[in-house]
């Protein structure tokens, strides 16, 4: 059962953000269900603005349905991802959950400093940020390289010039067919009138 560790992590974030607990307090006693195929999690808001795994069979005031890919985008802070989440039920609770998901941050460097000290935590966090930047740059470079290969070396994808030329050829063909149809119609009309 994954609810207890997930709830513990979310509560860890909530303890570091008074505003977030204050936003949840008016919803004390309500449950929210998150359906991330093939898993489902339900949490209940407690009076102090933290959460706990919902009791077995507790009715959800709000339900959120999302795919694992959408969850990854949300974790990566893709602002547009939340627009694709299916939310049903209590609109006020859904709005609070949406806000928390967008604005509640994990200060990893602060947590690491408790275990390893400030200097080591800063270096570890900076290494993580550097690796992330390197990974993003590598993926971008790989994407450009593959696009160039597929358009130039082994043309699986048409380049912009080829697409424009194809569109121009299609337009010319359409115009020629229209002229031919008009001529056929004119000749058919002449033949019908005995000319």
């Amino acid at each position: 059962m994954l609810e207890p560790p997930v709830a513990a992590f979310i509560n860890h974030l909530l303890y570091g953000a008074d505003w977030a607990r204050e936003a949840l307090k008016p919803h004390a006693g309500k449950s929210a269900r998150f359906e991330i195929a093939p898993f489902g999690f339900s949490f209940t808001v407690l009076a102090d603005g933290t959460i706990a795994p919902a009791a077995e069979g507790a009715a959800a005031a709000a339900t959120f349905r999302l795919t694992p890919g959408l969850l990854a985008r949300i974790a990566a802070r893709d602002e547009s991802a939340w627009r694709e989440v299916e939310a049903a039920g209590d609109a006020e609770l859904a709005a609070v959950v949406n806000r928390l998901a967008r604005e509640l941050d994990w200060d990893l460097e602060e947590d690491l400093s408790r275990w390893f000290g400030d200097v080591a935590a800063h270096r570890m966090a900076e290494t993580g940020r550097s690796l992330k930047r390197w990974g993003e740059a590598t993926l971008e470079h790989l994407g450009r390289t593959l696009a160039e290969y597929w358009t130039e070396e082994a043309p699986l994808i048409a380049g912009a010039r080829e697409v424009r030329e194809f569109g121009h050829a299609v337009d010319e063909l359409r115009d020629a067919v229209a002229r031919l149809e008009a001529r056929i119609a004119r000749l058919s009309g002449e033949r019908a009138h005995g000319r």
Side-chain angles (χ1 to χ4, degrees), residues 76-124:
R77 297 294 190 205
D78 179 351
E79 286 292 321
S80 66
W82 265 102
R83 285 183 233 128
E84 298 175 36
V85 174
E86 291 180 38
D90 186 327
E92 290 178 13
L93 178 58
V96 169
V97 169
N98 184 326
R99 179 179 175 216
L100 294 179
R102 287 183 293 112
E103 297 178 14
L104 197 58
D105 285 324
W106 179 21
D107 190 351
L108 177 62
E109 192 169 331
E110 178 65 28
D111 285 346
L112 288 172
S113 72
R114 292 184 188 131
W115 290 88
F116 302 104
D118 290 342
V119 174
H122 179 71
R123 288 183 180 164
M124 284 187 264

Side-chain angles (χ1 to χ4, degrees), residues 111-185:
D111 285 346
L112 288 172
S113 72
R114 292 184 188 131
W115 290 88
F116 302 104
D118 290 342
V119 174
H122 179 71
R123 288 183 180 164
M124 284 187 264
E126 188 55 41
T127 299
R129 287 188 286 270
S130 295
L131 286 172
K132 181 181 178 210
R133 287 190 298 270
W134 174 80
E136 289 169 350
T138 300
L139 286 175
E140 182 179 341
H141 179 71
L142 177 63
R144 273 196 241 126
T145 301
L146 289 174
E148 181 179 330
Y149 176 76
W150 287 332
T151 56
E152 303 297 330
E153 304 295 327
L156 295 174
I157 300 173
R161 183 175 49 81
E162 289 85 6
V163 170
R164 279 192 306 275
E165 288 173 0
F166 178 75
H168 182 69
V170 168
D171 290 343
E172 286 179 359
L173 180 60
R174 182 197 61 223
D175 294 344
V177 167
R179 286 191 302 272
L180 181 60
E181 286 176 342
R183 186 170 182 196
I184 290 171

